[in-house]
Structures are given as C-alpha cells and as structure tokens.
Amino acid sequence: MLNKKQTNEALDVIAEMYPDAECELTHSNPFELLIAVVLSAQCTDALVNKVTPSLFEKYKKPEDYVAVPLEELENDIRSIGLFRSKAKNIKKLSQSLIEEYNGEVPKERDQLVKLAGVGRKTANVVTSVAFGEPAIAVDTHVERVSKRLGICRWKDSVLQVEETLMKKIPKELWSDSHHRLIFFGRYHCKAQSPQCDICPLLTVCREGKKRMKVKQTG
C-alpha cells in the first residue's frame, strides 16, 4: 500500500501527464451538468456528448422535462444505455427541483443524493464541478487506478476508496486529483490494455509489475 507521501508523489506524476484534466461532459450550467452526469451512468462521456447538444437545445429547464411525454424523452436519449430508467429519473428529479428547490440545483451533496437517479458519485461531480466544492467522485477509472497503484486495497468498496483518497490527498487537491485519475484511467491505465511498458508509475504499481512479469516469463 502506498502511504500518504507516495500517493501524492504518484499523483504529481499523473498531474504532469494530464495538467489540464477536467470534466469532459459538455454543459453550460449546473442543471445541464446534473442531467449529463445522470445520463453518463454506465456509459461513456463521449456518447453522452453526442446526445446532449440537441437535448439541451430542446430542454432548457426542469419544467421542460416535466412537460414532455415520457416516450418522447426516451426517444431523445434512446442511443444512451438504460435510456428508459434514465428518462424516468430525469422527469422525477426535475419535478423535485421544481417542488423543493425553486427549479435550482441544490449545492449540498446530502440534498443532491435525494434526487432520482443521483448517487454519491453524481452528487460529488456536481458539487465539485458546478459549485467548486472539494470532492472526489469515484467512478470506474478512479477505483481501478487507485487499486492498481495500491493507494487502496483490492477489496475496498467504492465508499472506502473515496474515504482513503480523502485521507491521503490534501483537501484543496481533491477535485483536481479526481479529474487527473479519470484521465489517467481513461487514456493510459485502461481496463483491458493498460500501457504498463511505457508507464512512469510502473515501479510503484503492483498490477503493472505483475503484468510485466507475466509478459517477460511468457
């Protein structure tokens, strides 16, 4: 396991690789971001970004999603996985925003997670990206990289991964580190074909060392 110092040294290397890492979901306000993150569950940001330009042109505010028939909204997001449940959740959360928050997206994570289709990860992304609050959202990339590098244990739950990262990383770097870990996992330390042979973190990565050993003996 990497200690606090080693963890931050590894993150410094990742920061050099991806200094401009940021949220890749296209949005222009907190409400659009919330919708985009809900749509991105078990789906790539790239696919969501193909759908949202026309979606955000058609639906400007929560009232627009509430007013449209469910079938029409389903049709508008049909190319995205789980589009039926996502359409239902978007209509429900829009209704909640109108009834409880005057149509505005709440800033508090505890309020966000009460909205339909919004889990802890989604809430963390919204509070961090839309409102500038320090947060670490653990998606598949963050979880995979944290475990491969040995920042966290293999058996850790998503919540345990988040808590460990929060303990080991200075609070002011939570949001930046979250984006950098995503970029590192999305473009370098990929699930199926990580680029171990050219990885600057190979010497500290338990998964990478194991893979390279197999490669050499094989």
Side-chain angles (χ1 to χ4, degrees):
M1 290 278 290
L2 300 188
N3 61 29
K4 196 181 277 192
K5 182 172 180 286
Q6 292 166 323
T7 296
N8 285 285
E9 284 169 352
L11 285 166
D12 286 345
V13 173
I14 293 173
E16 284 173 24
M17 293 172 73
Y18 302 103
D20 302 319
E22 60 182 3
C23 178
E24 292 193 298
L25 289 167
T26 305
H27 66 282
S28 58
N29 57 55
F31 180 56
E32 288 185 355
L33 177 65
L34 176 61
I35 299 299
V37 184
V38 168
L39 290 174
S40 73
Q42 296 177 44
C43 172
T44 66
D45 288 3
L47 182 56
V48 174
N49 287 341
K50 284 181 185 169
V51 171
T52 47
S54 56
L55 194 73
F56 294 159
E57 189 60 41
K58 182 174 178 180
Y59 305 97
K60 304 286 189 190
K61 53 191 189 294
E63 288 83 356
D64 298 334
Y65 287 103
V66 170
V68 76
L70 181 62
E71 295 75 21
E72 189 176 333
L73 180 54
E74 284 178 354
N75 215 41
D76 290 333
I77 62 170
R78 187 171 289 273
S79 60
I80 287 178
L82 309 172
F83 69 92
R84 284 195 178 86
S85 62
K86 287 175 182 177
K88 269 187 203 147
N89 285 334
I90 287 169
K91 282 180 75 69
K92 264 193 210 168
L93 76 82
S94 295
Q95 188 71 49
S96 299
L97 292 178
I98 295 164
E99 290 173 3
E100 296 169 45
Y101 304 106
N102 298 318
E104 298 294 321
V105 177
K107 294 183 179 183
E108 300 296 322
R109 183 175 64 194
D110 293 348
Q111 295 173 321
L112 284 162
V113 292
K114 290 176 186 166
L115 299 170
V118 178
R120 192 177 174 91
K121 183 204 86 175
T122 298
N124 278 339
V125 172
V126 174
T127 55
S128 167
V129 176
F131 301 117
E133 289 297 317
I136 295 174
V138 179
D139 68 353
T140 54
H141 302 298
V142 174
E143 182 180 6
R144 180 174 70 252
V145 171
S146 299
K147 289 181 176 181
R148 280 180 174 175
L149 287 175
I151 297 170
C152 306
R153 299 171 302 178
W154 288 117
K155 63 179 182 179
D156 281 353
S157 66
V158 170
L159 182 57
Q160 286 173 316
V161 170
E162 183 186 332
E163 287 169 345
T164 300
L165 289 170
M166 285 164 71
K167 276 184 203 146
K168 292 186 175 180
I169 301 167
K171 189 171 184 177
E172 65 273 15
L173 294 177
W174 285 357
S175 296
D176 284 342
S177 298
H178 148 247
H179 290 306
R180 288 164 185 165
L181 285 166
I182 288 175
F183 269 55
F184 186 71
R186 185 177 285 160
Y187 301 114
H188 183 84
C189 189
K190 300 172 190 175
Q192 300 304 326
S193 51
Q195 300 173 45
C196 301
D197 48 343
I198 58 161
C199 185
L201 292 173
L202 183 61
T203 52
V204 297
C205 179
R206 54 186 176 175
E207 171 79 3
K209 284 189 274 196
K210 194 170 75 185
R211 281 174 179 265
M212 293 306 284
K213 205 171 182 181
V214 169
K215 204 172 177 182
Q216 283 157 7
T217 53

